[in-house]
Amino acid sequence: MPDSVLRWGVLSTANIGRIAVNPAIRASRNGRLVAVASRDISRAQDFVDAMPAETAPGSGSANLIPPRALGSYEALLEDPDVDAVYIPLPNSLHREWTLRAVEAGKHVLCEKPLATAEECMEMDAAARAHGVKLMEAFMYRFHPRTERVVEMVREGRVGDVRVIRSAFTFRLTRPDNIRLDRRLGGGALMDVGCYCVNVSRTLLGAEPVAAQATARWTGGYLDAGPETAVDDEMTCILHFEGGVRAHFDCSLTMERCEYYEVAGTEGHLRVESAFLPGTGPVVIQEHRGRTPVQEHPLEGEDEYRLMVEHFADCALQDRPVRYPATEAAANMRAIQALYRSALNGGSAVAVAPVQRVPA
């Protein structure tokens, strides 16, 4: 592998790759997109042909060269010119293709949610055994605003934290969307509520001990039957030690709403467009009683680019990723507990602890 450039391959022509992650790789200082695979070679070729010519900062003409189109996922994993694989496949396929990529000696950046908690631990063990890096693609954590909010909380700007409030909702308009198929890992909690779980844990620097949720269930993919029913709306509460709570709404049926607040004994911080702020300037709102709201402006950044650059640095320099698969397992422990509660009438259920593995 070249010392300064990680050569990426992408499994599938998913929209998240097209609009966000693939351009981020091509714009990164330390990565090059060399191949895109689909089960249909013509689809892969059309996808590649539609890519604009881009040059990464400091990379010269490297990213003016379009990636190669491959007609199978297996062909990408067998490609000796691919060092790392980005996987934006449906949730139900994350475990299979992550393990296959790891066993092929490829580093893996996989879309969220990575897998069930148990599968995350299996995938972590496999990555360690094969000497490759594995990370879940929660890009918002790399945005400087997220990092600054965490710093402000740790500095005591809100006093003792008592409540995290958040929401991530948007409205699906196509009944055949894979987010509405339980067999593919669909549902509001898995698709967008996972961000609310993650930001709550990140801001508190702690794991929940119990979970409660109520859900609205829909027939799912083209109303195929009860086995495909998914949560299209869910209201959740995570309970942490010391009586601290995080509550949030997630939905696939409502207008877009995307924010989080961290509230304490002295004030609260509020962040709008919390997870997908774009690349323009952003602010953190600081509230203290009846005094005027103080806004803390920050320059915008491409959080996807920051994420892939971090991952490439870790792969190239053989150092631990900031968020290993055990962190993804902890997030899924909470999500799985919320589902158990929702299926049990909203009663509180315990969140199983995750056995941490040293980096």
Side-chain angles (χ1 to χ4, degrees):
M1 166 189 324
D3 291 337
S4 59
V5 176
L6 189 71
R7 299 169 299 180
W8 289 85
V10 178
L11 282 182
S12 96
T13 56
N15 200 43
I16 183 65
R18 179 182 63 81
I19 65 175
V21 179
N22 295 1
I25 292 170
R26 301 186 81 199
S28 66
R29 59 173 166 75
N30 55 1
R32 181 181 164 203
L33 182 58
V34 299
V36 175
S38 172
R39 290 188 167 118
D40 180 342
I41 185 62
S42 63
R43 185 181 179 94
Q45 191 62 57
D46 289 345
F47 186 85
V48 167
D49 290 344
M51 287 185 179
E54 299 180 46
T55 303
S59 70
S61 60
N63 276 329
L64 290 175
I65 303 171
R68 287 176 285 108
L70 300 176
S72 72
Y73 300 157
E74 291 84 357
L76 188 140
L77 298 187
E78 293 167 2
D79 192 328
D81 292 329
V82 172
D83 307 313
V85 175
Y86 166 60
I87 301 178
L89 293 168
N91 296 334
S92 60
L93 298 176
H94 287 178
R95 173 189 175 273
E96 175 189 354
W97 287 101
T98 293
L99 289 176
R100 292 179 71 164
V102 162
E103 289 163 0
K106 312 297 186 185
H107 305 288
V108 177
L109 176 67
C110 182
E111 268 305 322
K112 53 77 196 165
L114 185 59
T116 68
E118 297 75 19
E119 289 169 346
C120 287
M121 300 303 288
E122 176 191 11
M123 293 151 74
D124 178 72
R128 290 171 181 273
H130 288 85
V132 296
K133 309 302 178 186
L134 169 62
M135 192 174 79
E136 185 179 40
F138 264 120
M139 71 298 173
Y140 86 95
R141 296 182 292 195
F142 292 89
H143 196 283
R145 181 176 60 178
T146 307
E147 295 175 337
R148 180 59 188 140
V149 173
V150 172
E151 289 175 354
M152 293 173 76
V153 172
R154 303 290 183 269
E155 292 166 0
R157 296 292 284 268
V158 301
D160 295 331
V161 178
R162 303 307 304 153
V163 174
I164 307 289
R165 296 182 282 260
S166 62
F168 200 166
T169 68
F170 75 103
R171 183 167 173 257
L172 283 178
T173 57
R174 290 181 52 184
D176 60 345
N177 192 290
I178 64 171
R179 294 174 177 87
L180 296 175
D181 193 335
R182 187 165 121 189
R183 295 165 300 186
L184 297 178
L189 179 57
M190 288 287 280
D191 190 62
V192 286
C194 61
Y195 285 92
C196 300
V197 173
N198 194 269
V199 77
S200 300
R201 296 174 47 254
T202 298
L203 291 170
L204 291 171
E207 301 299 337
V209 296
Q212 290 178 269
T214 57
R216 194 185 87 154
W217 306 92
T218 186
Y221 186 80
L222 298 181
D223 294 324
E227 72 278 1
T228 65
V230 295
D231 52 301
D232 62 5
E233 297 175 6
M234 192 175 283
T235 298
C236 305
I237 305 174
L238 295 173
H239 300 269
F240 294 79
E241 294 286 359
V244 180
R245 301 168 311 286
H247 48 83
F248 65 89
D249 296 301
C250 56
S251 173
L252 302 177
T253 65
M254 298 167 61
E255 66 170 343
R256 190 171 191 91
C257 179
E258 181 191 336
Y259 82 95
Y260 64 80
E261 293 181 344
V262 51
T265 53
E266 303 297 328
H268 73 272
L269 305 174
R270 182 178 175 93
V271 171
E272 300 283 356
S273 300
F275 309 109
L276 294 165
T279 57
V282 294
V283 299
I284 301 166
Q285 297 179 349
E286 184 174 2
H287 299 254
R288 289 184 177 275
R290 297 181 183 274
T291 62
V293 175
Q294 182 179 0
E295 291 196 340
H296 303 269
L298 294 91
E299 293 298 319
E301 291 273 7
D302 181 348
E303 55 194 342
Y304 291 97
R305 179 180 56 77
L306 295 174
M307 174 181 67
V308 298
E309 287 181 346
H310 166 78
F311 186 82
D313 280 341
C314 293
L316 293 165
Q317 300 166 21
D318 192 21
R319 57 182 176 84
V321 297
R322 191 184 305 177
Y323 301 107
T326 51
E327 148 64 31
N331 213 60
M332 278 304 301
R333 294 282 189 201
I335 289 171
Q336 289 168 217
L338 288 166
Y339 272 121
R340 290 197 301 273
S341 174
L343 291 167
N344 195 32
S347 59
V349 301
V351 177
V354 172
Q355 181 68 40
R356 298 290 182 178
V357 179

